[in-house]
Amino acid sequence: MSREPPPPGEEEAAGGGGGGGGGGGGEGADGRPRAAEGGCYLALCARPVHFEKANPVNCVFFDEANKQVFAVRSGGATGVVVKGLEDRNPISFRMEDKGEVKCIKFSLGNKILAVQRTLKSVDFLNFIPDSPQLEYTQECKTKNANILGFCWTSSTEIVFITDQGIEFYQVLPEKRSLKLLKNQSINVNWYMYCPESSVILLSTTVLGNVLQPFYFKSGTMSKLSKFEIELPAAPKSSKLSLSERDIAMATIYGQLYVLYLRHHSRTSNSTGAEVVLYHLPREGSSKKTHILKLNRTGKFALNVVDNLVVVHHQDTETSVIFDIKLKGEFDGSTTVHQFVLPPRSIQPYQIPVAGPASVTSQSPVPCKLYSSSWIVFQPDIIISASEGYLWSLQVKLEPVVNLLLDKGKLMDFLLQRKECKMVILSVCSQMLSEPERGSLSVIATVFDKLNHEYKKYLEAEQSYTMVVEAGLSRSNPLLKRPVRTQAVIDQSDMYTHVLSVFTEKKRLSTANDEIVEVLLSKHQVLAALRFIRGIGGHDSISARKFLDAAKQAEDDMLFYTIFRFFEQRNQRLRGNPSFTPGEHCEEHVTFFKQVFGEQALMKPTTL
């Protein structure tokens, strides 16, 4: 099973996402046994899609755009069942058996079905209420061309990819016909589609290593700059040298990349294969930007999960992850990355035993991980056609905490992940508790990074508010309110999940003192004050310490705010805003009068 059926006798390698290469042995890159040591940071989703496994009667197809599995029995005559991770209600129907199905996909929104049975045409069937279910057919326009496959780019737009180019059509379901919008002649070896970015990539030239991308949006087709993949060595013969299996396309941190799995020859001095990332901008030329060092050879497959590149290695039955946002070795044009964490197996998975209720008490069967029948699809799909399961791959952050001991690097890694908040708060709690209390410099580094994210969000929110209040948002329809991700951790999060454990003590603990000292040393005076207020210690803190820090920050309005806070505290506790001689704040009172005038001092209030 593959995106489209492979040629007879051809079998997908290690999950289809990356093929060949030399042997690999039974050890990880660090020489340790292949097996699953503790701390699995990758897992298959708990609720997979279960479908009828592939067999001589039942053909299985996967649609990458809708993330749907099609089980087609007897060419559709005895039933087609469509299931997806998101849709829990399967779509079931029958269609006339008009020959072997080569490719089958729904349009976005499941309103129109497209089925390819021949190399020359694609059949269509409307799934619109009150619309007659009569098939209509579109032949490819290019004479003598063979259709390699097709991609839906919207609910009514479809692209035929042939060996001689691409044809972009609008489907008119009410007329049961198609209208050619645009076509482009180009010799095509194979193609790849990234639905998240609506980009189709064509392999051209004899060697296949010149890639031509096309972008589709709202009825338009744009030809992007073509680029050449650097092959590991000069080919000895003029035949196809770049395989579709060694290429993937994915969006990482909002940017589109082509990932090339480069297998080094056995005679090479290199220590192993590598993944080369080419950045594909909407405008301008593509550039090689990152190299991910695998330090091993063998059969590989690629996924992208939560902006991490995951590389599976079949020989050792382990996977590694790369984060291109983390610092690597930069040579002026390309950044070289090592894997973030040691190789680990995907977490063991149990397949429940199907059958009548009286039988299902049997123990679940362990799933064979890294099976040769596995096929991967971008960004995060793994399919076992032989077992009839489709999973999404997930990253588990909790085990990462014990595998990435550098707290600064750990925080850089966690802050980029989608579901990071509770893990970050757990790390902060550990750092402030025995026996894992971090040093002052480590705590400072972590809080610096958290403050940076919070400040970045506040500044973006403030800019957005100013634009809206100025009435400029109407002239900029693309303006969007900043999204508050889980990386934005505020005082209430910190107090609720980290600092509340320290409030049982009437006086501030050593850990709290350290936090305040760190914040004040970084001129985060307001943050330190908010922290103290959050744990209920603001009535006993030293006014002078905070006024000293505010003055050193050389920010008059900050000094005014801190000074006024302590005046109000004095008024509330003693009925008078003035400082007592024992507080030693005379120089700060003098400074306040010099800057703001004596009249700005708070006057005593009486009930």
Side-chain angles (χ1 to χ4, degrees):
M1 189 202 106
S2 65
R3 202 174 296 101
E4 274 82 49
E10 184 173 336
E11 185 181 338
E12 287 285 341
E27 294 183 343
D30 50 6
R32 290 182 294 190
R34 70 161 75 201
E37 299 162 33
C40 299
Y41 47 78
L42 293 169
L44 303 174
C45 67
R47 296 183 63 196
V49 173
H50 184 37
F51 56 89
E52 184 179 350
K53 61 184 71 171
N55 58 52
V57 179
N58 184 62
C59 293
V60 179
F61 301 87
F62 180 64
D63 171 14
E64 291 171 284
N66 288 313
K67 304 288 186 283
Q68 292 171 327
V69 174
F70 286 73
V72 182
R73 291 182 59 85
S74 308
T78 55
V80 178
V81 180
V82 187
K83 293 182 177 181
L85 280 167
E86 300 304 319
D87 18 280
R88 287 296 157 192
N89 297 319
I91 302 170
S92 300
F93 58 91
R94 294 187 181 193
M95 57 188 187
E96 191 179 339
D97 184 359
K98 295 182 178 179
E100 179 193 355
V101 174
K102 296 182 180 297
C103 186
I104 181 168
K105 298 174 186 177
F106 269 117
S107 63
L108 303 185
N110 299 335
K111 298 295 185 188
I112 309 168
L113 180 72
V115 186
Q116 182 190 353
R117 298 183 175 98
T118 74
L119 294 173
K120 303 297 182 184
S121 65
V122 177
D123 301 324
F124 295 85
L125 190 62
N126 294 339
F127 276 71
I128 301 169
D130 304 322
S131 174
Q133 286 209 336
L134 297 172
E135 284 194 8
Y136 47 105
T137 302
Q138 177 64 51
E139 293 189 356
C140 68
K141 296 286 186 184
T142 311
K143 194 176 180 182
N144 299 325
N146 290 327
I147 299 175
L148 301 177
F150 61 84
C151 303
W152 287 98
T153 57
S154 77
S155 58
T156 56
E157 290 164 358
I158 192 168
V159 182
F160 291 4
I161 300 95
T162 75
D163 55 3
Q164 295 181 33
I166 55 176
E167 302 173 3
F168 184 32
Y169 292 95
Q170 181 182 10
V171 184
L172 307 169
E174 64 286 349
K175 295 182 179 179
R176 296 207 300 278
S177 65
L178 279 74
K179 174 186 174 186
L180 181 66
L181 299 175
K182 200 170 182 180
N183 64 337
Q184 175 87 40
S185 294
I186 183 172
N187 288 330
V188 181
N189 301 305
W190 49 260
Y191 76 94
M192 189 165 285
Y193 180 47
C194 179
E196 286 79 14
S197 57
S198 290
V199 170
I200 292 177
L201 194 66
L202 306 180
S203 161
T204 68
T205 70
V206 176
L207 296 176
N209 65 323
V210 175
L211 303 182
Q212 175 63 67
F214 289 87
Y215 170 61
F216 298 85
K217 185 179 182 183
S218 307
T220 63
M221 179 176 91
S222 307
K223 188 177 183 181
L224 306 182
S225 298
K226 67 181 178 182
F227 63 101
E228 185 174 333
I229 297 286
E230 297 174 15
L231 298 173
K236 294 178 180 177
S237 61
S238 296
K239 66 176 186 177
L240 190 63
S241 299
L242 183 65
S243 166
E244 177 187 3
R245 294 180 186 175
D246 292 336
I247 295 289
M249 234 191 332
T251 301
I252 306 172
Y253 292 115
Q255 299 295 314
L256 181 61
Y257 290 90
V258 168
L259 293 79
Y260 166 44
L261 178 57
R262 182 157 64 190
H263 301 277
H264 288 279
S265 62
R266 292 173 185 270
T267 56
S268 161
N269 293 326
S270 173
T271 55
E274 57 193 27
V275 179
V276 184
L277 271 63
Y278 291 82
H279 178 221
L280 254 65
R282 197 64 52 79
E283 295 177 1
S285 57
S286 174
K287 291 179 182 174
K288 181 171 73 171
T289 53
H290 299 273
I291 295 176
L292 316 180
K293 289 288 188 180
L294 301 181
N295 302 324
R296 50 174 64 174
T297 57
K299 295 181 179 179
F300 299 93
L302 305 176
N303 277 127
V304 173
V305 185
D306 201 5
N307 291 313
L308 296 167
V309 178
V310 182
V311 184
H312 309 290
H313 188 229
Q314 188 184 26
D315 298 339
T316 57
E317 297 183 2
T318 58
S319 304
V320 289
I321 57 175
F322 295 86
D323 187 348
I324 63 172
K325 271 276 179 82
L326 294 183
K327 194 175 179 183
E329 296 174 27
F330 185 63
D331 65 3
S333 62
T334 309
T335 305
V336 177
H337 300 265
Q338 305 294 334
F339 36 77
V340 180
L341 302 167
R344 290 288 185 270
S345 172
I346 295 171
Q347 182 175 302
Y349 187 87
Q350 304 287 324
I351 295 178
V353 177
S358 58
V359 187
T360 51
S361 58
Q362 296 179 39
S363 300
V365 178
C367 172
K368 169 65 177 140
L369 300 177
Y370 302 90
S371 163
S372 60
S373 70
W374 273 20
I375 305 157
V376 304
F377 292 91
Q378 299 313 317
D380 58 356
I381 301 295
I382 295 176
I383 293 179
S384 173
S386 62
E387 293 174 312
Y389 279 93
L390 178 152
W391 297 275
S392 64
L393 186 66
Q394 299 171 340
V395 174
K396 297 168 60 188
L397 297 181
E398 290 83 0
V400 175
V401 175
N402 296 321
L403 293 171
L404 200 53
L405 301 180
D406 180 331
K407 287 291 191 288
K409 192 174 180 183
L410 172 65
M411 208 50 59
D412 289 338
F413 177 84
L414 292 177
L415 284 168
Q416 302 298 337
R417 311 283 74 83
K418 203 177 290 182
E419 303 289 334
C420 65
K421 179 171 286 189
M422 296 313 297
V423 181
I424 288 175
L425 291 169
S426 170
V427 171
C428 291
S429 185
Q430 282 180 19
M431 284 195 316
L432 302 178
S433 308
E434 298 288 359
E436 297 180 44
R437 181 177 295 168
S439 67
L440 196 57
S441 62
V442 169
I443 295 172
T445 298
V446 169
F447 274 81
D448 274 354
K449 293 179 186 295
L450 296 181
N451 284 336
H452 176 72
E453 287 296 321
Y454 189 45
K455 181 184 177 187
K456 199 165 63 175
Y457 167 74
L458 289 181
E459 287 175 346
E461 179 75 23
Q462 188 177 23
S463 299
Y464 171 82
T465 304
M466 288 171 65
V467 171
V468 171
E469 288 177 350
L472 300 175
S473 55
R474 293 173 191 167
S475 60
N476 185 2
L478 297 177
L479 181 72
K480 291 183 180 178
R481 184 171 199 143
V483 177
R484 180 167 184 154
T485 67
Q486 289 204 13
V488 178
I489 294 175
D490 61 20
Q491 188 59 53
S492 62
D493 295 321
M494 194 62 71
Y495 176 68
T496 304
H497 298 284
V498 180
L499 305 170
S500 56
V501 297
F502 301 111
T503 59
E504 295 174 8
K505 300 179 182 179
K506 291 184 180 179
R507 297 183 61 83
L508 290 175
S509 67
T510 306
N512 291 338
D513 285 338
E514 287 182 353
I515 292 169
V516 172
E517 292 298 333
V518 167
L519 292 171
L520 291 179
S521 70
K522 300 292 180 184
H523 304 304
Q524 301 281 327
V525 188
L526 280 176
L529 194 55
R530 288 193 196 102
F531 168 71
I532 290 292
R533 292 187 68 177
I535 60 172
H538 53 292
D539 285 350
S540 58
I541 55 173
S542 162
R544 181 178 175 179
K545 177 187 287 188
F546 277 78
L547 289 168
D548 283 346
K551 191 175 178 184
Q552 287 169 11
E554 297 181 349
D555 182 337
D556 289 348
M557 289 314 298
L558 172 66
F559 183 84
Y560 180 92
T561 303
I562 300 298
F563 191 93
R564 181 68 82 220
F565 169 82
F566 284 108
E567 281 189 318
Q568 291 169 345
R569 183 186 76 169
N570 294 341
Q571 174 70 38
R572 178 167 50 82
L573 295 179
R574 298 197 299 268
N576 191 303
S578 300
F579 293 91
T580 62
E583 292 180 281
H584 306 292
C585 292
E586 293 82 4
E587 66 175 289
H588 294 303
V589 173
T590 303
F591 178 74
F592 184 89
K593 287 193 239 182
Q594 287 173 352
V595 177
F596 303 105
E598 190 163 352
Q599 72 281 0
L601 289 169
M602 188 174 165
K603 304 295 187 288
T605 56
T606 54
L607 295 174

